[in-house]
Amino acid sequence: EVQLVESGGGLVQAGGSLRLSCAASGFHFDDYAIGWFRQAPGKEREGISCISSSDGNTYYALSVKGRFTISGNNAKNTVYLQMNSLKPEETAVYYCAAYRSFCGAAWGGSRLYDYWGQGTQVTVSS
């Protein structure tokens, strides 16, 4: 059974940091790209970062570049998202997702992904 389980969300003050984790099981992790998305109430799901498990290449949305860092531990089938300098408008449910390929130009499209986690809430207070 394929599973993606996010953890690490919570309440943080503006300017603070959180580290999210995405633990994967049930598929050959090294063959997949893992993306992080977020969705705020009333807004569309937004792709924020992607990592290719095969070669470690990473991609970021402009809105988070320089503040967020994605990394992976293939031995643990886990991807992390370190989020620094968080802003109140980044309050959302954060999801990780997987698709069988490497991150490409279309990595931010949610329809590309085959598997999704249940999400973890991140709340940034002002």
Side-chain angles (χ1 to χ4, degrees), residues 52-114:
S52 300
S53 299
S54 58
D55 59 14
N57 281 345
T58 58
Y59 297 78
Y60 297 93
L62 288 176
S63 59
V64 305
K65 199 168 187 178
R67 298 185 298 118
F68 290 14
T69 302
I70 192 170
S71 61
N73 185 329
N74 286 20
K76 294 185 176 181
N77 286 5
T78 300
V79 170
Y80 307 96
L81 186 68
Q82 177 67 42
M83 306 187 296
N84 299 329
S85 302
L86 282 161
K87 306 173 183 178
E89 56 265 36
E90 295 182 306
T91 293
V93 178
Y94 283 68
Y95 300 89
C96 65
Y99 77 96
R100 189 173 183 177
S101 186
F102 51 89
C103 302
W107 67 267
S110 60
R111 293 182 181 181
L112 197 60
Y113 293 77
D114 302 309

Side-chain angles (χ1 to χ4, degrees), residues 2-64:
V2 172
Q3 277 195 318
L4 293 169
V5 180
E6 302 96 336
S7 61
L11 175 64
V12 64
Q13 288 189 331
S17 299
L18 282 175
R19 188 194 194 204
L20 305 183
S21 298
C22 172
S25 61
F27 60 93
H28 195 252
F29 188 78
D30 292 2
D31 293 340
Y32 280 74
I34 306 295
W36 281 99
F37 290 76
R38 63 188 177 193
Q39 188 166 22
K43 294 190 176 181
E44 291 189 357
R45 192 166 292 191
E46 174 192 12
I48 53 178
S49 189
C50 185
I51 185 167
S52 300
S53 299
S54 58
D55 59 14
N57 281 345
T58 58
Y59 297 78
Y60 297 93
L62 288 176
S63 59
V64 305

